């Protein structure tokens, strides 16, 4: 089918699959026949096709966002439900692989049984990594699962005792006693790590895969630590699926910055940096990193100029000039028409 005049509100893409959510909340996908499309096909699906969400109650799903990886995909519904489909070889769907090796069609992911809270969990954001997923609810609780840990587990967002925003608190001053805990609003997934962005522009990162060799205790699985942000706040966060040593962000003042570490088992460096190309960006709105390159969406600022009516009201000579110009233009147009008739 063709999108026609449909407006798209969310997009996601991986190696062999592309997803979108239109303004009506429908999820459409296209890609290779072996990709996690959300339905069965015998050959490659070259045009967008609706993804159905099962029968009965789950059939009416109004989606607001999608996430894609090479083997599995996610969809967040407006009512806070989370759906996953594709490979479950390492627990990406939130259930043990022995119970469900894979799911062609979307199935619900349940998180509240590990939260210790009553009632349903309303998911606000979700992300898909190569073999794991992460999600955050509207209350700021974070879960992740996959990479041989199929059951969703809570991520402990631990704040450091010393300030990391030099402009927010005096240098060297501790966090005020009784201050509110960080409130995550967005999550992203890298190759073997995940990160959360909080409402105040802070960034927390944690490792997903159990280490095969000793590493810093600050990088223990599912214990997030705050990354240093000297004199800046983050507005958008992004991580490449094929990189375990880099993570990008867009700051509130439009800069693109990057955290790095020497390897997947090493701690992150003290602060983010700007590369030569990124240093020229001052009005970035979003960033999309890959293994060897990075793309940024730049918002071009165009000041709103006053209309002719506003200009003439504020400056009477301009009104006279406008009328004179209009009269001259009309005379020239009449002369041109006369010349055409004569010819």
């Amino acid at each position: 089918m063709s999108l026609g005049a449909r407006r798209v509100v969310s997009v996601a893409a991986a190696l062999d699959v592309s997803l979108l959510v239109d303004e009506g909340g429908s999820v459409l996908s296209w890609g290779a026949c072996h990709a996690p499309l959300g339905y069965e096909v015998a050959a490659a699906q070259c045009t967008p096709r609706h993804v159905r969400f099962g029968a009965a109650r789950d059939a009416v799903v109004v989606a607001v966002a999608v996430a894609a990886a090479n083997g599995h995909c996610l969809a967040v519904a407006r009512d806070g439900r989370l759906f996953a489909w594709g490979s479950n070889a390492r627990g990406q769907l939130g259930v043990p692989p022995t119970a469900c090796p894979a799911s062609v069609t979307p199935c619900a992911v349940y998180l509240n049984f590990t939260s210790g809270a009553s009632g349903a969990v309303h998911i606000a954001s979700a992300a898909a990594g190569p073999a794991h997923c992460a999600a955050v609810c509207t209350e700021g609780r974070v879960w992740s699962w996959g990479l041989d840990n199929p059951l969703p587990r809570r991520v402990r967002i631990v704040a450091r005792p010393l300030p990391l925003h030099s402009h927010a608190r005096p240098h060297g001053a501790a966090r005020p006693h009784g201050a509110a805990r960080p409130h995550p609003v967005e999550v992203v997934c890298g190759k073997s790590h995940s990160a959360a962005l909080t409402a105040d522009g802070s960034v927390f990162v944690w490792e997903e895969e159990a280490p095969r060799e000793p590493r810093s205790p600050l990088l223990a699985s599912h214990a997030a630590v705050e990354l240093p942000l000297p004199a800046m706040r983050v507005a958008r966060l992004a991580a490449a699926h094929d990189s375990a040593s880099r993570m990008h962000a867009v700051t509130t003042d439009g800069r693109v910055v990057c955290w790095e570490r020497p390897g997947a088992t090493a701690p992150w460096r003290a602060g983010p940096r700007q590369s030569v190309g990124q240093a020229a960006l001052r009005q970035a709105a979003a960033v999309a990193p890959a293994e060897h390159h990075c793309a940024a969406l730049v918002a071009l600022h165009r000041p709103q100029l006053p209309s002719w009516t506003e200009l003439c009201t504020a400056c009477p000579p301009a009104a006279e000039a406008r009328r004179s110009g209009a009269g001259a233009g009309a005379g020239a147009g009449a002369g041109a028409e006369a010349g055409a008739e004569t010819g």
Side-chain angles (χ1 to χ4, degrees):
M1 65 173 293
S2 172
L3 293 179
R6 297 182 186 212
R7 296 183 62 184
V8 176
V9 298
S10 177
V11 295
L15 182 63
D16 293 318
V17 61
S18 298
L19 300 170
L20 66 83
V21 180
D22 66 14
E23 59 184 344
S26 298
V27 177
L28 296 91
S29 70
W30 64 99
C33 60
H34 60 269
L37 299 175
Y39 46 80
E40 292 186 356
V41 290
Q45 179 69 32
C46 299
T47 58
R49 174 179 167 181
H50 280 284
V51 176
R52 304 299 179 185
F53 286 82
R57 181 177 63 88
D58 287 344
V60 181
V61 173
V62 180
V64 295
V66 286
N70 292 346
H72 63 285
C73 296
L74 300 174
V76 179
R78 181 176 297 170
D79 60 8
R81 288 181 291 170
L82 179 64
F83 296 86
W85 63 93
S87 172
N88 193 39
R90 304 192 67 180
Q92 303 98 303
L93 304 187
V95 294
T98 54
C100 177
S103 178
V104 175
T105 58
C107 55
V109 179
Y110 296 100
L111 307 176
N112 56 344
F113 64 89
T114 61
S115 67
S118 59
V121 174
H122 194 288
I123 297 301
S125 171
H132 72 283
C133 302
V136 58
C137 70
T138 53
E139 297 178 355
R141 299 194 302 269
V142 179
W143 290 264
S144 66
W145 61 96
L147 282 171
D148 302 325
N149 295 303
L151 297 182
R153 296 186 294 173
R154 284 283 302 277
V155 178
R156 301 189 305 275
I157 304 295
V158 181
R160 289 181 177 177
L162 296 178
L164 300 181
H165 291 302
S166 59
H167 65 281
R169 291 184 298 273
H171 180 69
R175 292 177 182 268
H177 179 70
R181 293 182 61 82
H183 186 93
V185 295
E186 182 184 7
V187 288
V188 298
C189 293
K191 186 175 183 179
S192 59
H193 67 281
S194 300
L197 173 66
T198 65
D200 66 353
S202 302
V203 177
F204 291 80
V205 64
W206 65 95
E207 295 299 305
E208 293 290 354
E209 195 169 18
R212 295 185 176 88
E213 57 187 67
R215 66 173 69 175
S216 169
L218 293 179
L219 295 177
S221 179
H222 288 76
V225 295
E226 190 174 0
L227 293 180
L229 289 171
M232 66 177 67
R233 292 176 184 267
V234 171
R236 300 291 297 272
L237 195 60
H241 289 176
D242 48 11
S243 176
S245 58
R246 294 194 324 276
M247 190 163 54
H248 289 73
V250 176
T251 64
T252 53
D253 59 356
R255 289 178 290 170
V256 176
V257 297
C258 174
W259 286 274
E260 293 180 327
R261 57 182 176 178
T265 61
W268 296 91
R269 290 175 178 169
R273 69 175 182 87
Q274 288 182 285
S275 67
V276 176
Q278 294 165 351
L281 296 176
R282 287 294 184 270
Q283 294 176 310
V287 61
E291 184 176 6
H292 298 297
H293 67 285
C294 182
L297 176 66
V298 177
L300 299 179
H301 175 67
R302 294 184 176 89
Q304 185 175 358
L305 299 177
S307 64
W308 266 110
T309 303
E310 295 170 338
L311 182 60
C312 294
T313 302
C315 182
E320 182 63 29
R322 182 188 180 191
R323 286 193 294 268
S324 300
E337 292 178 359
E341 292 176 359
T342 302

